[in-house]
Amino acid sequence: MTPATRSRRRRRQRGRRALYVLLAVAVLLAGLWAAYTLLPRGPSGAPDPVDAAGGGDRGGPSPASTVLLFYIDEEGTALVSRPVPVPAADTSLVRARLIVERQLEPPEPPLFSPFPAGTALRTIYLTPDGDAFVDLSRHASDGHPGGSLDELFTVYALVNALALNVDAIDAVQILIEGREVDTLTGHVDLRRPLGLNLNWVAPEDPAVELAAREGAS
Amino acid sequence: MGRPLATLLALALAAAAGAAPARAQADSDAVTVISPAGRERIAVVAADGAQMLALDDLARLLRLDVREDSRAGTLSATGGGGVLIMTPGQQIASVDGRLVSLRAAPRRDGGRWLVPLDLLTRALGPVSGQPLEFRAGSRLLLVGDVRVPRVSAAYRAGPERGRLSLELTPAAAHTVASEGGRLAIAFDADAIDLERAPELRGGLATRFGLAADAAGVTLDLGPEVDSYDVTREDGPGGGATLRIDLLARRAVPAAAPAPAPAEDPAAPRPLPARTDLLPEFSTGPAVRLAVIDPGHGGDDHGSSGVSGTLEKDVTLAIARQLRDAIESRIGLRVILTRERDEAVAPDTRAAIANNNKADVFISLHVNASPRPAAAGTAVYYLGIDEYGAEAREIADRRIEPVPIVGGGSREIDLVRWDMAQIRYVGQSGRLAGMLEEELGRRVALSPRPAHQAPLRVLVGANMPAVLVELGSLADEDEEERLASALFQADLVDAIVTGIRRYSEDLGRARQFAPRLAAPGRAAGAVSRVREP
Ligand SMILES: [Zn+2]
């Protein structure tokens, strides 16, 4: 074997080794990709049907009662709460559904609804950890006028309506047409469940006092 | 040939081999042993073309019980993890019954036994029952649980400046002390493994060396050194980079000037000197690079006004004016996250700021409230409550980011990259407050001018970041105002002034730093110290 053939063979061997390394990396990446896409993750991967049916529910039946729902005030500068009656419910999931459906209805003038016209509730999922996933129709984002302030009003009207009025719910994540979304119109981060936040509500609002009382108990 | 003769011949050969002198190697070939008990050097000798160590040295260091069985003709070493059996003259040893091959056979040298260096890694680890690591490059033998980060040192000399960079893997806390013209940089470690040391040719740094206790390095300073800056960056991979900038007497910037008196904002201002040759040594204002993010773009129009004005167009137009004004009036560099009408993902917007090591990130938007009372400008920064207990814990660590000489030395703990903003919420609030004040002097503020909120585009920004709502398009009056050159100039002037105030504020904070005489612990912090 001449030195030239030896060096050629060595080069070939080196080339083959590089090919093997590339192949191994490709297989590894494919595996990771498969694991990433196939494994269920987060709520938009199929939520547990037991939870959707209310089985993972923390709370039991609730009697007919009055809850505080949230609307944009006359000036358009804050959320205000209004007492609204809701019927009795067998489970927290049913109560949550009744509350969201009522919250999506337009308020009496001069208040404004924080939800674009046509916004409908598709499904609610509850987890035993107190997270609610509220799946809204596409109108909630497509029909939204945009702007940070109005987007905050929309998000926190819904979050507060559930977190304040349903014992089994601590935090709410909004889904659109069954999917997790980054934002409604480019501002408020919707990638994780959000908890009760009364910063957008005037300090003298009854909701603030109610939240303080519930927090103390 | 009869058996007795063969045996005799073999013995004679063995004796001859044993008699061949083993030559002590140069001291640089010695192995440095680092154990919880301390460090020591053990000699290496060359024999049979292999590097050999004295077995009694290893027995003492690794607490092995060595016995010679003259009847069986074997040599055994027993440790906490098992038994090693070697046979003189054989290149094979047994570790708990498992055979390992050796570079050379154990051999007698005077009154001691010599064993090959590779016995350390092949056999003695399991036998001694404790972690054993041999680093061939630096000839370090690590015994037991010792922390010995690898350190790679480099030095760059610039005009009137010099920079020593130390890369640590894994990271270890550091202290920097100065005594008699020498900087001592010590690490929280049993020793360091100095993989690379710089060649110095005098000037600001005259000599680089390993510290006496081997757990740090020393740098001898030339007489012209006035002060030094220590900055540290902890990488996501568990390593860290420490940079020590030496500044010559003349090169030290004067104390931050008092805020300039009010003057015609349109009048040109002298630009701060730029040091383009060595940009990392630039010691201009505390804020050097601003990233301006024109909201929305492409198919995402954002909000829209009754007469057809689109949020994406207003934000881009004002961003361009802001860039010109910031660059010409306060001499900072500005990068826009989009230059034209195109869609840019929120993470990309933050990434542009992060990759360019921007000092501030300002996202521009226009509200859409149809209710006139809600019109006006507002400044938002990130709220952390929405990001859970983890975020609150990170924010509570209160490591205030301080812009430093060198640009890229912010603290990056093991914070999830997509929540980088959490560390800067305090600073972002200050920036938001100053911008709000300046806006309030020139244009109408929204009734709720400063807010904390979970804003998507801010979360990943690894620097102080705010979102400015410039006004409201859905209000007809304001839509008209937003389109007017005068109103736009007011907005731009307010934001430029806010950034300048923020930068000066940080510059002043920098002056309160430890003096060189007091050796300060600089771990996890950025410090500026000055020779008395
Ligand atoms: Zn916007």
Side-chain angles (χ1 to χ4, degrees):
Chain A
M1 196 159 47
T2 67
T5 59
R6 243 203 317 272
S7 100
R8 224 175 297 141
R9 170 184 292 192
R10 220 177 294 137
R11 225 176 295 142
R12 209 163 39 230
Q13 279 173 344
R14 219 177 297 144
R16 206 175 298 157
R17 212 173 304 141
L19 192 69
Y20 288 148
V21 170
L22 269 177
L23 266 173
V25 169
V27 166
L28 187 72
L29 285 177
L32 285 175
W33 176 81
Y36 182 75
T37 51
L38 298 180
L39 288 180
R41 61 197 179 88
S44 61
D48 193 336
V50 173
D51 291 346
D57 219 321
R58 273 199 316 215
S62 53
S65 60
T66 299
V67 297
L68 293 178
L69 299 184
F70 294 85
Y71 305 97
I72 299 175
D73 73 355
E74 194 178 351
E75 303 269 87
T77 57
L79 287 174
V80 290
S81 72
R82 284 290 177 272
V84 175
V86 290
D90 287 343
T91 64
S92 294
L93 187 71
V94 173
R95 181 172 166 86
R97 174 171 269 284
L98 291 168
I99 288 173
V100 174
E101 281 168 350
R102 193 73 177 79
Q103 173 71 67
L104 294 178
E105 285 171 24
E108 296 289 323
L111 301 183
F112 300 93
S113 171
F115 299 94
T119 302
L121 173 65
R122 296 175 83 237
T123 328
I124 299 186
Y125 309 105
L126 298 191
T127 73
D129 298 335
D131 289 335
F133 294 89
V134 179
D135 183 11
L136 299 178
S137 68
R138 60 183 171 74
H139 307 83
S141 61
D142 288 359
H144 203 283
S148 303
L149 188 62
D150 280 59
E151 202 171 309
L152 285 161
F153 287 161
T154 307
V155 169
Y156 280 107
L158 189 71
V159 168
N160 292 345
L162 287 175
L164 188 66
N165 297 308
V166 185
D167 288 343
I169 296 177
D170 299 323
V172 177
Q173 183 168 355
I174 296 175
L175 312 178
I176 300 292
E177 300 287 333
R179 298 179 162 276
E180 270 187 68
V181 290
D182 257 30
T183 64
L184 289 180
T185 70
H187 309 96
V188 182
D189 191 351
L190 295 183
R191 294 172 300 162
R192 48 177 68 72
L194 298 170
L196 182 76
N197 182 336
L198 298 174
N199 287 343
W200 316 100
V201 179
E204 62 281 4
D205 192 277
V208 175
E209 196 198 321
L210 176 63
R213 228 182 311 133
E214 287 191 349
S217 66
Chain B
M1 195 158 51
R3 181 175 288 263
L5 189 60
T7 312
L8 208 70
L9 212 77
L11 280 173
L13 279 171
R23 281 179 296 111
Q25 305 243 121
D27 188 49
S28 61
D29 289 332
V31 170
T32 303
V33 182
I34 297 167
S35 68
R39 56 187 258 123
E40 71 175 277
R41 285 168 84 80
I42 55 177
V44 172
V45 294
D48 303 340
Q51 298 181 42
M52 311 287 279
L53 302 168
L55 184 58
D56 49 1
D57 280 344
L58 294 175
R60 178 173 44 79
L61 286 165
L62 303 176
R63 275 178 253 111
L64 302 175
D65 181 23
V66 173
R67 277 159 209 266
E68 217 179 313
D69 186 335
S70 52
R71 250 187 306 173
T74 58
L75 200 56
S76 71
T78 309
V83 184
L84 166 74
I85 295 172
M86 293 174 289
T87 308
Q90 288 196 3
Q91 281 178 249
I92 289 192
S94 145
V95 180
D96 281 341
R98 191 173 53 83
L99 293 182
V100 294
S101 71
L102 303 173
R103 274 292 296 278
R107 55 179 285 167
R108 193 181 278 284
D109 177 47
R112 59 185 185 162
W113 284 97
L114 295 179
V115 294
L117 187 61
D118 62 350
L119 189 75
L120 280 175
T121 46
R122 289 174 183 235
L124 288 182
V127 166
S128 70
Q130 54 194 324
L132 210 59
E133 184 187 345
F134 182 63
R135 296 191 183 167
S138 46
R139 302 186 73 76
L140 289 180
L141 174 63
L142 313 186
V143 178
D145 292 313
V146 288
R147 287 163 306 152
V148 183
R150 297 173 202 268
V151 176
S152 175
Y155 184 81
R156 268 185 68 193
E160 301 177 342
R161 295 161 200 280
R163 169 178 287 183
L164 176 70
S165 305
L166 300 170
E167 282 175 26
L168 274 94
T169 332
H174 73 272
T175 58
V176 179
S178 160
E179 212 183 291
R182 167 178 281 193
L183 285 185
I185 301 127
F187 297 102
D188 183 20
D190 294 287
I192 61 166
D193 178 354
L194 190 60
E195 290 185 321
R196 193 160 73 103
E199 293 275 343
L200 299 181
R201 288 186 212 90
L204 291 181
T206 56
R207 203 183 148 273
F208 177 89
L210 191 67
D213 67 353
V217 297
T218 57
L219 189 67
D220 291 359
L221 306 178
E224 317 84 65
V225 174
D226 179 88
S227 65
Y228 66 89
D229 272 353
V230 182
T231 60
R232 176 186 171 112
E233 184 170 351
D234 283 87
T241 304
L242 202 63
R243 296 190 193 92
I244 294 150
D245 285 313
L246 307 178
L247 300 171
R249 297 209 179 277
R250 284 166 299 168
V252 173
E263 55 187 276
D264 176 8
R269 254 165 257 237
L271 295 187
R274 292 213 192 166
T275 50
D276 288 336
L277 286 177
L278 276 169
E280 65 267 51
F281 290 136
S282 145
T283 53
V287 174
R288 281 177 308 279
L289 172 64
V291 165
I292 307 289
D293 172 46
H296 310 278
D299 288 341
D300 172 13
H301 298 178
S303 56
S304 53
V306 280
S307 16
T309 311
L310 299 178
E311 180 181 0
K312 65 172 184 176
D313 297 330
V314 176
T315 58
L316 184 57
I318 293 184
R320 286 179 176 145
Q321 293 181 41
L322 252 179
R323 174 175 54 193
D324 294 348
I326 293 171
E327 287 183 346
S328 64
R329 279 161 54 184
I330 48 179
L332 309 182
R333 209 152 68 83
V334 176
I335 293 177
L336 304 187
T337 57
R338 66 180 175 95
E339 296 277 355
R340 57 193 74 82
D341 182 16
E342 63 184 348
V344 183
D347 286 333
T348 309
R349 294 171 192 261
I352 289 170
N354 295 348
N355 294 342
N356 286 292
K357 299 194 157 97
D359 299 298
V360 292
F361 177 82
I362 298 178
S363 187
L364 301 180
H365 286 258
V366 181
N367 255 327
S369 173
R371 292 150 297 263
T377 61
V379 186
Y380 294 80
Y381 61 105
L382 194 77
I384 52 167
D385 286 348
E386 290 83 356
Y387 293 92
E390 187 194 349
R392 279 190 295 276
E393 195 227 316
I394 293 166
D396 283 349
R397 281 188 227 149
R398 276 197 124 33
I399 302 170
E400 291 290 311
V402 181
I404 40 68
V405 173
S409 68
R410 321 195 155 74
E411 292 291 320
I412 303 168
D413 238 331
L414 293 174
V415 177
R416 284 177 44 183
W417 69 270
D418 59 343
M419 293 217 258
Q421 180 59 43
I422 285 159
R423 298 281 299 277
Y424 298 94
V425 165
Q427 287 290 323
S428 299
R430 279 168 77 160
L431 175 60
M434 291 181 187
L435 287 171
E436 183 208 321
E437 268 180 46
E438 296 303 327
L439 285 162
R441 288 188 186 148
R442 295 164 180 84
V443 298
L445 286 179
S446 132
R448 306 165 61 89
H451 302 290
Q452 271 188 286
L455 292 174
R456 177 68 179 87
V457 75
L458 301 181
V459 189
N462 194 31
M463 71 276 315
V466 298
L467 184 149
V468 182
E469 289 284 356
L470 300 164
S472 180
L473 271 179
D475 169 36
E476 246 177 293
D477 289 349
E478 206 160 326
E479 182 179 0
E480 210 172 287
R481 249 202 315 276
L482 270 169
S484 83
L486 210 63
F487 184 74
Q488 291 189 354
D490 277 344
L491 285 175
V492 166
D493 187 49
I495 296 173
V496 171
T497 311
I499 293 173
R500 197 185 60 201
R501 271 184 58 195
Y502 176 74
S503 177
E504 287 166 355
D505 196 56
L506 276 188
R508 272 193 294 276
R510 250 204 224 158
Q511 286 178 275
F512 300 98
R515 296 226 143 210
L516 192 59
R521 187 181 168 83
V526 170
S527 58
R528 151 158 288 216
V529 275
R530 186 176 283 253
E531 192 108 59

